[in-house]
Amino acid sequence: MAPKVQASKEAKALAASNSSKGKKKKWSKGKMKEKVNNQVLFDQLNYDKMKSEVPKYKMITPSILADRLRINGSLARAAIKELLNEGAIRIVAKHSKQEIYTRATNTEA
């Protein structure tokens, strides 16, 4: 059997770049988050739902209201303020970034 002829470095590099392993990785465009279409004003149905169901939630935050009622954040904060003034909910923790409320019970914590 005849010995193989050694290919030059340039020939080896060219063969490696043309092989299937040498192809450049194609990056995906990335996953796009689905755009939510939240309401900016209450309709009567959503307002009644907020008045009846939200005071029964164990934990109430603007983000929870926005997610469950499909309203935007500023409307959720306004709804919480209204429920707080009525005494339907009470404050647990207030911070400049996050406010946590719970249903109003007889026990003071």
Side-chain angles (χ1 to χ4, degrees), residues 69-87:
L69 298 177
R70 296 274 170 236
I71 57 177
N72 72 354
S74 57
L75 190 59
R77 287 193 303 272
I80 285 176
K81 201 177 290 185
E82 184 177 323
L83 290 169
L84 194 63
N85 289 338
E86 291 173 3

Side-chain angles (χ1 to χ4, degrees), residues 82-100:
E82 184 177 323
L83 290 169
L84 194 63
N85 289 338
E86 291 173 3
I89 61 175
R90 67 180 170 89
I91 195 158
V92 174
K94 185 168 172 71
H95 187 265
S96 62
K97 304 284 187 254
Q98 183 72 47
E99 300 169 354
I100 302 170

Side-chain angles (χ1 to χ4, degrees), residues 39-104:
Q39 294 179 339
V40 293
L41 291 172
F42 275 121
D43 55 0
Q44 192 59 45
L45 185 75
N46 237 4
Y47 185 76
D48 294 339
K49 185 177 178 185
M50 183 268 296
K51 286 288 216 182
S52 62
E53 290 182 16
V54 173
K56 295 174 188 163
Y57 293 166
K58 199 166 216 171
M59 185 169 84
I60 304 162
T61 64
S63 53
I64 288 174
L65 258 59
D67 185 48
R68 291 187 188 170
L69 298 177
R70 296 274 170 236
I71 57 177
N72 72 354
S74 57
L75 190 59
R77 287 193 303 272
I80 285 176
K81 201 177 290 185
E82 184 177 323
L83 290 169
L84 194 63
N85 289 338
E86 291 173 3
I89 61 175
R90 67 180 170 89
I91 195 158
V92 174
K94 185 168 172 71
H95 187 265
S96 62
K97 304 284 187 254
Q98 183 72 47
E99 300 169 354
I100 302 170
Y101 301 87
T102 190
R103 55 187 171 219

Side-chain angles (χ1 to χ4, degrees), residues 9-57:
K9 283 189 179 182
E10 292 83 19
K12 284 182 181 178
L14 183 66
S17 66
N18 288 340
S19 72
S20 62
K21 290 183 181 177
K23 292 228 190 313
K24 215 174 163 121
K25 182 171 179 359
K26 298 257 192 291
W27 290 95
S28 67
K29 299 285 186 234
K31 292 186 178 161
M32 291 295 293
K33 189 177 178 197
E34 191 176 310
K35 180 95 171 96
V36 290
N37 194 12
N38 290 344
Q39 294 179 339
V40 293
L41 291 172
F42 275 121
D43 55 0
Q44 192 59 45
L45 185 75
N46 237 4
Y47 185 76
D48 294 339
K49 185 177 178 185
M50 183 268 296
K51 286 288 216 182
S52 62
E53 290 182 16
V54 173
K56 295 174 188 163
Y57 293 166

